[in-house]
Amino acid sequence: GSGAGFESSQEESEEAAKANWLEKAKEIYADADWNTAKDSGIQCVKQGLYSKCFASGFPCHPKTPD
């Protein structure tokens, strides 16, 4: 997932990427969550004072208690 465009803050860009990733992940698993994603990570690029981030990971179901 990635945000719509470049943001003025890297934190905003990371949040936009996670939100976009979550939107796509919920199409696979309705209970998907960034915190339970396997091999999750964020990569960002900067252009001047702006940044754009990309979130990747495999959506997983939350672990069930034993």
Side-chain angles (χ1 to χ4, degrees):
S2 68
F6 282 84
E7 302 286 343
S8 58
S9 141
Q10 184 165 330
E11 185 176 285
E12 288 177 14
S13 184
E14 288 177 7
E15 291 304 314
K18 286 180 189 177
N20 183 255
W21 177 90
L22 187 58
E23 180 181 313
K24 293 174 182 178
K26 285 191 179 263
E27 292 176 8
I28 298 169
Y29 295 125
D31 58 354
D33 185 277
W34 177 252
N35 296 319
T36 61
K38 182 178 180 185
D39 298 331
S40 61
I42 295 183
Q43 295 180 340
C44 300
V45 293
K46 287 191 169 212
Q47 183 175 3
L49 299 174
Y50 297 92
S51 65
K52 181 172 176 88
C53 296
F54 303 88
S56 63
F58 297 99
C60 299
H61 291 291
K63 290 184 179 182
T64 56
D66 293 334

